Amino acid sequence: KTLEVGKDYYLLVSKWYKEWKYYVNFGELWNNEAERPGPIENEELLEEGVEDMVRRTVIEDLDFVIVSEAVWTTLHQWYGGGPTIKRKAIGGKWIGVIVEVRPLQLKVLKSSDMEHPVIAQFSKEDTVRQFLETMCKKMQLEEDKVRVWDFHVGYKIK
């Protein structure tokens, strides 16, 4: 099915999905002795200790498949498990429509507390305004008292 910009899609671990297809005799996969799969086990797709960040080493179709919201909701209701890994489809005239599996992961610091960064994820299509609004809410800051600086390897860029 064709991806639509702005719609939500979900990652599903390939191993579990293949077991499910055997169980329901989906497509050309046929195994009349297949057992009902247990709960969905998406943990292996995520980085340890980082909330909702897909590991860099996982590959679409090999390690995970992308399914629609309707498919995810139905399978999750029937089998349980998780965690839910929801991603948006982005795109435009240059790249076509893709599911943004790995959004930008940014480390955000308050100048008054450089020891405790807040890690946040943003779409490559988000604006600086969206970043500012989201982080001010998350860090309980007033927008008119905030400046955004771009640092790379400890050096201020902008």
Side-chain angles (χ1 to χ4, degrees):
K1 197 171 181 180
T2 306
L3 299 174
E4 294 180 44
V5 172
K7 278 190 96 173
D8 291 330
Y9 294 88
Y10 294 77
L11 276 58
L12 184 58
V13 68
S14 289
K15 185 174 79 175
W16 187 92
Y17 189 58
K18 189 173 183 179
E19 288 175 16
W20 175 77
K21 290 194 307 186
Y22 277 127
Y23 176 66
V24 298
N25 301 320
F26 183 84
E28 295 179 18
L29 296 176
W30 176 262
N31 183 344
N32 61 357
E33 295 180 13
E35 294 182 22
R36 184 182 198 276
I40 297 167
E41 297 177 354
N42 275 346
E43 293 89 359
E44 66 189 65
L45 300 176
L46 298 173
E47 290 284 353
E48 260 186 65
V50 182
E51 185 180 329
D52 200 36
M53 186 59 149
V54 175
R55 290 186 9 237
R56 293 175 191 243
T57 56
V58 298
I59 301 167
E60 185 177 352
D61 294 328
L62 180 63
D63 299 303
F64 66 90
V65 295
I66 295 172
V67 298
S68 69
E69 185 168 22
V71 169
W72 169 259
T73 300
T74 301
L75 291 174
H76 192 253
Q77 284 175 347
W78 288 346
Y79 297 94
T84 300
I85 306 173
K86 179 170 82 169
R87 296 293 188 260
K88 284 222 179 295
I90 63 170
K93 59 183 176 183
W94 302 111
I95 62 170
V97 181
I98 62 168
V99 173
E100 189 175 32
V101 173
R102 294 177 190 87
L104 296 172
Q105 182 179 358
L106 303 175
K107 185 189 300 186
V108 181
L109 298 161
K110 285 173 56 174
S111 60
S112 62
D113 183 9
M114 299 293 278
E115 299 298 317
H116 300 96
V118 175
I119 307 297
Q121 291 186 49
F122 291 90
S123 171
K124 293 168 185 77
E125 292 192 335
D126 283 346
T127 64
V128 174
R129 165 65 44 210
Q130 290 167 312
F131 165 80
L132 183 64
E133 289 171 355
T134 300
M135 292 312 300
C136 283
K137 281 182 191 170
K138 191 171 194 170
M139 299 174 81
Q140 300 174 349
L141 302 169
E142 296 176 41
E143 282 185 42
D144 60 339
K145 295 183 179 179
V146 171
R147 289 189 215 166
V148 177
W149 299 94
D150 185 357
F151 281 82
H152 180 70
V153 193
Y155 297 99
K156 185 168 74 170
I157 297 173
K158 295 177 187 172

